[in-house]
Amino acid sequence: MRAFFVSREFCVLRQGLLLALLLVWALSARAEQLRELSDFAGVRDNALVGYGLAVGLDGTGDQTTQAPFTSQSLTNMLSQLGITVPQGTNLQLRNVAAVMVTAKLPAFARQGQELDIVVSSVGNAQSLRGGTLLMTPLKGADGQTYAMAQGNLLVSGVGAQAGGSSVQINQQASGRIPGGALVERQVPLELGRQGGMLELLLKETDFGTAQRAVTAINMEFGRPVASALNGRVIQLQGPLNDNARVGFMARVENVDITPREAAAKVVLNARTGSVVMNSRVTLRHAAVAHGSLSIIIDTDFQVSQPNALSQGGQTAVVPNTNIGIQQQEAYLREVEGADLTEVVDALNALGASPQDLMSILQALKAAGSLRAELEII
């Protein structure tokens, strides 16, 4: 009898351990690293923009009569190179195009580092294929020059036209230059300048996720190094040494946490008719009647001619218009769903189009049946 009880206790213990392992596995399967959920304050890209000229186009540049700023820009550039264009000269520049150059300056970028740039036409150039971007300064939001761009354009689009017919594949009015800009000025950034204090910014504001992140970080270091300022900002007490700070930030980024599940939300795109909902959406018991009303207007043009022997009569076109109204029969249908699959099945049973479904979801929200936040984009 004693051996029986021991084996029974062992089985219970084994089942408990198995359930615990399954629970840990389920939690770890949903866990994400902090670097996927947050960013360190100040560690970000900076937008750069510049205005320049693309030359060497095969007759596909700007028409200067409609884009006078192109010839004006070329005149100013030639004057800086010691070439004077006579006053009143009408420049016909079909091989030159005015362009805007954009790039992103990454964090910690140093002088001489190469950046990829995007070149886009601002005039009426037909294509930038085969063009060369002349030296263009790229400026930041403060008006300072941070990079210089120049190089040969890579345009993926292609087109051809003849005899009034044309064909085009992809966009030809923009292109890229990999490594086409060199960094000339770096953005000053001193991490931990306030006694080693760092800030971790969550990408989504959530007090529960912030609290879980603080707990996980403090457990990782075995001491209280993190504290939440609000639902998005987590303050970290990092080391004063630069090398030690890098290792500290790397450990923080690799901490695994399970973010709190997002609140129930339904997103409606009024332009495309798209309806997207997350797994938290539920439907309480409700009855819905859905029907479509369609109006059909058909106009048939007939020709009215006078008799053969009549005088003064004229041939006229007489429109004959028929208007019909059709309405589909609609019955009350019960809808209810405790999870996403049941919600989808209940809404599909209505047989509504995406546009009609948007109206139905708004009505269910107003009636208190749809347990979710509606967001229209």
Side-chain angles (χ1 to χ4, degrees):
M1 293 294 293
R2 184 176 180 181
F4 169 75
F5 286 114
V6 171
S7 61
R8 183 179 179 182
E9 292 175 355
F10 176 76
C11 292
V12 173
L13 179 60
R14 184 176 62 180
Q15 292 178 356
L17 290 175
L18 181 60
L19 291 176
L21 290 175
L22 290 175
L23 180 60
V24 171
W25 176 82
L27 291 176
S28 62
R30 297 195 301 263
E32 300 180 39
Q33 290 185 337
L34 267 178
R35 61 181 175 181
E36 301 172 356
L37 304 173
S38 61
D39 297 301
F40 282 99
V43 183
R44 64 179 182 87
D45 295 338
N46 294 275
L48 302 179
V49 65
Y51 171 83
L53 293 175
V55 299
L57 307 179
D58 189 12
T60 58
D62 292 337
Q63 297 179 6
T64 53
T65 55
Q66 301 176 2
F69 49 85
T70 303
S71 58
Q72 181 183 357
S73 302
L74 183 62
T75 301
N76 294 337
M77 186 196 69
L78 291 177
S79 65
Q80 295 179 5
L81 297 177
I83 301 175
T84 302
V85 179
Q87 188 72 20
T89 302
N90 185 15
L91 300 177
Q92 299 296 327
L93 307 172
R94 294 304 305 273
N95 296 339
V96 182
V99 295
M100 297 298 296
V101 184
T102 56
K104 287 185 178 180
L105 182 65
F108 311 114
R110 291 294 187 265
Q111 293 183 1
Q113 182 176 341
E114 295 183 349
L115 304 177
D116 295 341
I117 60 175
V118 177
V119 182
S120 305
S121 172
V122 294
N124 52 11
Q126 298 178 3
S127 174
L128 298 181
R129 174 177 290 274
T132 299
L133 175 69
L134 299 181
M135 184 179 295
T136 303
L138 301 182
K139 300 182 179 181
D142 56 358
Q144 299 293 328
T145 299
Y146 287 89
M148 297 296 294
Q150 183 170 280
N152 297 324
L153 281 162
L154 176 63
V155 180
S156 59
V158 65
Q161 57 182 357
S165 301
S166 63
V167 61
Q168 178 176 327
I169 300 176
N170 296 333
Q171 177 63 260
Q172 301 183 79
S174 63
R176 292 177 58 87
I177 305 180
L182 291 178
V183 177
E184 300 294 341
R185 181 197 300 264
Q186 62 192 43
V187 177
L189 176 60
E190 297 180 5
L191 292 175
R193 56 186 173 183
Q194 298 179 353
M197 197 66 66
L198 301 170
E199 286 187 350
L200 193 67
L201 309 179
L202 296 179
K203 296 180 181 179
E204 299 290 341
T205 300
D206 191 283
F207 291 97
T209 302
Q211 183 59 42
R212 293 182 183 183
V214 169
T215 303
I217 294 173
N218 291 336
M219 289 181 61
E220 169 69 20
F221 290 92
R223 54 189 175 88
V225 298
S227 60
L229 299 182
N230 48 52
R232 182 181 287 265
V233 182
I234 299 174
Q235 194 173 60
L236 303 171
Q237 181 58 56
L240 298 177
N241 181 268
D242 291 340
N243 186 47
R245 186 183 303 115
V246 172
F248 175 84
M249 297 172 67
R251 289 183 63 183
V252 171
E253 287 184 335
N254 291 330
V255 172
D256 292 329
I257 69 167
T258 303
R260 195 172 65 169
E261 193 172 359
K265 178 180 287 190
V266 178
V267 180
L268 309 177
N269 192 325
R271 293 181 293 273
T272 63
S274 303
V275 179
V276 180
M277 60 187 69
N278 60 17
S279 60
R280 297 278 295 176
V281 177
T282 58
L283 279 177
R284 290 186 177 177
H285 195 78
V288 179
H290 169 68
S292 298
L293 181 67
S294 59
I295 301 176
I296 302 175
I297 301 177
D298 184 18
T299 302
D300 183 19
F301 293 94
Q302 299 179 353
V303 179
S304 176
Q305 295 181 342
N307 295 327
L309 300 179
S310 63
Q311 297 180 356
Q314 296 181 355
T315 302
V317 178
V318 180
N320 184 16
T321 303
N322 297 320
I323 300 178
I325 300 178
Q326 298 179 357
Q327 185 174 7
Q328 298 178 357
E329 296 183 358
Y331 302 95
L332 282 172
R333 292 180 178 269
E334 294 184 359
V335 293
E336 186 177 10
D339 56 31
L340 182 61
T341 302
E342 295 179 357
V343 171
V344 172
D345 292 340
L347 295 177
N348 287 337
L350 299 175
S353 66
Q355 293 291 344
D356 293 335
L357 188 58
M358 296 169 64
S359 301
I360 293 174
L361 288 173
Q362 295 183 54
L364 288 173
K365 176 66 176 179
S369 174
L370 179 64
R371 312 304 298 174
E373 175 188 355
L374 277 179
E375 180 179 349
I376 301 177
I377 61 175

